[in-house]
Amino acid sequence: MTFISKTDYTSYKRYCKTLNLEEDPELIREYRKVHAPGAVWPEITQGMIEVGILDMEIYILGTRLFMIMDTIPGFDHDRDMARLACKPRQSEWEAFVSGFQKTSSEATADEKWQLMERIYKLDRK
């Protein structure tokens, strides 16, 4: 499979999502470790690439996570997140990270990460 990057596109779709972690400093430290460079299971990263996710960043403030997910222009959020849920080890990963999150271990990534609504964009007229 050929790696596709955002520079291959003149436009892309952006999704912003949020999720809360358990209020436990040790769990938060561990959550940071499992998301450190090179720590995420390779099957998870590969699955994201295969469904059309070009880039993803996660930010943290206290127990609040904020994700920015850039995708190919033809990405259909519901369809492609369902495809991602079926990728190798994805359900195992979701069950693993749910131990850090204020959520159920049976919840899919799409059920845990809540889409945010953009209410402002800098207008450069």
Side-chain angles (χ1 to χ4, degrees):
M1 170 174 224
T2 305
F3 177 74
I4 302 169
S5 75
K6 281 185 3 186
T7 58
D8 296 328
Y9 291 92
T10 57
S11 66
Y12 54 90
K13 288 184 178 177
R14 172 168 284 171
Y15 298 89
C16 296
K17 300 181 175 190
T18 188
L19 178 145
N20 289 318
L21 295 175
E22 293 288 350
E23 202 163 320
D24 179 328
E26 183 56 33
L27 284 178
I28 292 170
R29 274 191 292 280
E30 287 301 312
Y31 191 82
R32 286 174 174 267
K33 283 182 189 176
V34 302
H35 286 84
V40 173
W41 303 346
E43 299 91 344
I44 302 310
T45 303
Q46 185 61 38
M48 290 190 284
I49 292 167
E50 288 174 3
V51 301
I53 297 172
L54 300 171
D55 195 15
M56 180 184 287
E57 296 178 358
I58 299 175
Y59 296 83
I60 187 169
L61 177 64
T63 60
R64 170 71 64 175
L65 297 177
F66 174 70
M67 174 197 295
I68 301 170
M69 183 174 80
D70 294 333
T71 69
I72 61 173
F75 192 87
D76 177 281
H77 186 271
D78 294 340
R79 179 197 67 210
D80 293 320
M81 292 307 290
R83 286 180 49 222
L84 180 60
C86 296
K87 293 289 182 182
R89 299 195 74 194
Q90 187 67 36
S91 61
E92 184 184 352
W93 174 260
E94 294 305 333
F96 171 63
V97 294
S98 71
F100 305 99
Q101 303 165 341
K102 282 195 171 184
T103 186
S104 158
S105 62
E106 294 83 35
T108 65
D110 200 36
E111 292 168 331
K112 294 188 280 186
W113 285 94
Q114 299 300 298
L115 276 171
M116 300 178 79
E117 176 186 1
R118 181 173 69 189
I119 62 168
Y120 175 79
K121 182 172 177 6
L122 179 65
D123 186 10
R124 294 179 175 251
K125 289 185 179 180

